[in-house]
Amino acid sequence: MDTRTRSVETITPATPGVLSVYACGPTVYRYAHVGNLRTFLLTDLLRRTAELLGLQVRLVQNITDVGHLQDDTNLDADGEDKLLAQARLENKDPFAVARFYEDAFHRDLALLNVKPADAYPRASESIDLMLSLIATLVDKGHAYVGEDGTVYFDARSFPGYGAISGNRLEDLRAGHGATGESTATGKRFHADWALWKRASENRAMTWDSPWGHGFPGWHIECSAMSLDLLGETIDVHTGGIDLRFPHHEDERAQSDCAVGHEVVRHWVRGEHLLFEGRKMAKSTGNVVLVSDVVARGFDPLALRLAFLSSRYRQQANLSWDAIAGAQRTLDRWRAAVAAWAEEPSKPMCAEVQQDVLEAFSDDLDTPRALQVLRKLEKSDLPAGAKFETFAWADRLLGLDLVRDVGKAPVPLPAGAAELLASRAAARAAKDFAASDRLRDELAVLGVAVKDTPAGQEWTLS
Ligand code: AMP
Ligand code: ZN
């Protein structure tokens, strides 16, 4: 689901075979709560699906360790940096605080089987990139230096402003709603935002710049790092729904104005997670961490399964009961997979495989994929086939379902699983020409296919 066009769109990479993805990462001033993790999981599901479909995925996720102010709903808040506030609270160096929570973030991702990104650039180590991007925006007339020495983006210079959030400039009034009252005096227009802020000498986390000693705004970091590491066209940009405005709206304006064309092709945002009916946020005090889940005796992957039970674009209401239910399913599936593995080997159920792949490809319809697998679990198909199919599906689910199995699933040559799924779809659509062509392609890979009343079966030749 693309939140700019507000429709479900087919994602075709700009560079054939390679999908570039930029994911807004954590602000590392505290532990990530499970709401944040649901959003990070969205990127992992997208990535696993693309990889299974044969794409190479290039994924970058930033680490925000400077510039994210306490009140990020205000476009130019003079509020305090989240990291500096936390460092004061912990009586530590802000960079020590940042590295501590960054490590914790990586540990949480690993516990949830989220595959690592190719790069995790830190904002504090990308200052030069931001300065050169700001200079480009000033040169092109999209940014100006205010009387207060702060460099502002000129919102009115980007006609496409508002396409993401629906917040049109004419509707954004100073002192109201999302924009808030400007306290800065150097701004020409209330909806302009700071790219670089002047700071006093004794403030921590500041750098020299052509516009004086200061620190970057939050939005410019994502433009600078994504353009640098992924280039001027990015296939998919992910993040939580709350980032739609102002973060993504401003990022789009900066990036597009710098390069002169639309940079991000698809904006995919995860809906918010509620817990026991209330939004999960530090500000409401309703926060659950992975460590809380583990402390109650649950496997962190039960949390992953609980997330898969709802679709990313819908609000999900998580509860301890839901996690307990997911844990029961996880235990049952792992035991079943281990028992099925003991039975004679059988080819995987290509129709089920096709249905699961289709559900994931259909805007990550994970609840439907789980339903398909539950049906397979209860079916009277051979145990060996159930084993192979669940083992294959786990490449998407990431639940360690084969953890307790003594033997490995039969290794299919690379690309064969996808061809089998396509062939099952061709047969279902009675497209026998395509089905024959796919049989030949599979034969080249050393996979012999036979059609039976229960569907196609394969063996390694
Ligand atoms: P932060 O560390 O606050 O910058 O947030 C990291 C990511 O988590 C962002 O993509 C947010 O949009 C997302 N996020 C924040 N709160 C929630 C929530 N309750 N449910 C889902 N995602 C969230
Ligand atoms: Zn971002």
Side-chain angles (χ1 to χ4, degrees), residues 293-311:
V293 174
V294 173
R296 290 199 179 213
F298 296 116
D299 185 322
L301 294 179
L303 181 65
R304 185 172 167 120
L305 177 55
F307 286 151
L308 294 173
S309 312
S310 66
R311 208 176 191 175

Side-chain angles (χ1 to χ4, degrees), residues 24-27 29-30 33 35-36 38-40 68 82 218 239-243 271-273 279-281:
C24 278
T27 307
Y29 71 110
R30 54 156 171 77
H33 57 61
N36 302 134
R38 182 187 190 220
T39 294
F40 301 145
H68 196 165
K82 291 188 179 195
W218 174 34
I241 193 76
D242 58 315
L243 298 188
E271 255 296 346
H272 264 146
L273 180 77
K279 186 190 159 178
M280 181 162 295

Side-chain angles (χ1 to χ4, degrees), residues 139-184:
D139 284 351
K140 291 193 170 188
H142 291 293
Y144 60 91
V145 185
E147 291 144 36
D148 56 354
T150 291
V151 187
Y152 291 101
F153 188 92
D154 178 359
R156 288 173 295 183
S157 75
F158 180 52
Y161 195 84
I164 286 179
S165 60
N167 286 328
R168 302 265 156 206
L169 279 179
E170 54 273 26
D171 303 329
L172 286 176
R173 281 183 299 123
H176 286 280
T179 57
E181 187 77 63
S182 163
T183 51

Side-chain angles (χ1 to χ4, degrees), residues 22-25 62 64 218-219 221-223 237-238 243 247-248 251:
Y22 184 85
C24 278
N62 66 301
T64 301
W218 174 34
H219 318 311
E221 70 168 84
C222 284
S223 289
H237 192 311
T238 58
L243 298 188
H247 187 57
H248 288 167
E251 184 185 329

Side-chain angles (χ1 to χ4, degrees), residues 21-301:
V21 183
Y22 184 85
C24 278
T27 307
V28 284
Y29 71 110
R30 54 156 171 77
Y31 291 110
H33 57 61
V34 298
N36 302 134
L37 291 165
R38 182 187 190 220
T39 294
F40 301 145
L41 178 66
L42 152 65
T43 311
D44 188 58
L45 296 175
L46 213 132
R47 177 234 186 105
R48 283 171 182 262
T49 308
E51 283 180 345
L52 207 67
L53 293 169
L55 297 173
Q56 191 195 328
V57 176
R58 174 116 186 92
L59 169 64
V60 174
Q61 183 166 37
N62 66 301
I63 303 288
T64 301
D65 57 358
V66 66
H68 196 165
L69 301 183
Q70 297 269 29
D71 179 7
D72 59 39
T73 55
N74 194 331
L75 285 176
D76 68 339
D78 282 330
E80 192 167 21
D81 192 301
K82 291 188 179 195
L83 258 147
L84 290 180
Q86 185 64 24
R88 211 182 39 244
L89 217 69
E90 295 188 21
N91 198 17
K92 282 193 191 141
D93 174 73
F95 286 110
V97 171
R99 299 302 168 258
F100 177 85
Y101 291 111
E102 184 183 329
D103 287 349
F105 158 74
H106 288 303
R107 279 199 303 277
D108 285 344
L109 289 195
L111 284 171
L112 285 185
N113 267 352
V114 170
K115 292 188 184 186
D118 295 291
Y120 290 104
R122 293 174 180 143
S124 66
E125 292 169 359
S126 311
I127 301 294
D128 287 347
L129 288 175
M130 297 188 223
L131 292 179
S132 90
L133 184 60
I134 295 170
T136 303
L137 291 170
V138 172
D139 284 351
K140 291 193 170 188
H142 291 293
Y144 60 91
V145 185
E147 291 144 36
D148 56 354
T150 291
V151 187
Y152 291 101
F153 188 92
D154 178 359
R156 288 173 295 183
S157 75
F158 180 52
Y161 195 84
I164 286 179
S165 60
N167 286 328
R168 302 265 156 206
L169 279 179
E170 54 273 26
D171 303 329
L172 286 176
R173 281 183 299 123
H176 286 280
T179 57
E181 187 77 63
S182 163
T183 51
T185 54
K187 278 203 302 186
R188 294 181 191 156
F189 184 66
H190 58 83
D192 296 349
W193 64 92
L195 302 173
W196 186 262
K197 303 175 201 199
R198 278 288 271 277
S200 59
E201 282 298 330
N202 54 8
R203 184 187 169 105
M205 297 204 293
T206 53
W207 292 263
D208 282 328
S209 86
W211 311 282
H213 204 70
F215 60 97
W218 174 34
H219 318 311
I220 195 71
E221 70 168 84
C222 284
S223 289
M225 294 189 257
S226 62
L227 288 171
D228 177 57
L229 289 164
L230 294 172
E232 294 186 0
T233 299
I234 297 167
D235 294 311
V236 180
H237 192 311
T238 58
I241 193 76
D242 58 315
L243 298 188
R244 189 174 44 181
F245 185 85
H247 187 57
H248 288 167
E249 194 71 67
D250 294 357
E251 184 185 329
R252 174 171 176 258
Q254 295 158 172
S255 300
D256 290 10
C257 288
V259 304
H261 61 79
E262 192 83 49
V263 172
V264 173
R265 303 172 78 221
H266 303 282
W267 293 91
V268 182
R269 297 193 185 79
E271 255 296 346
H272 264 146
L273 180 77
L274 313 181
F275 198 84
E276 311 275 7
R278 283 164 57 221
K279 186 190 159 178
M280 181 162 295
K282 197 180 175 186
S283 55
T284 55
N286 191 27
V287 160
V288 176
L289 308 179
V290 176
S291 55
D292 297 327
V293 174
V294 173
R296 290 199 179 213
F298 296 116
D299 185 322
L301 294 179

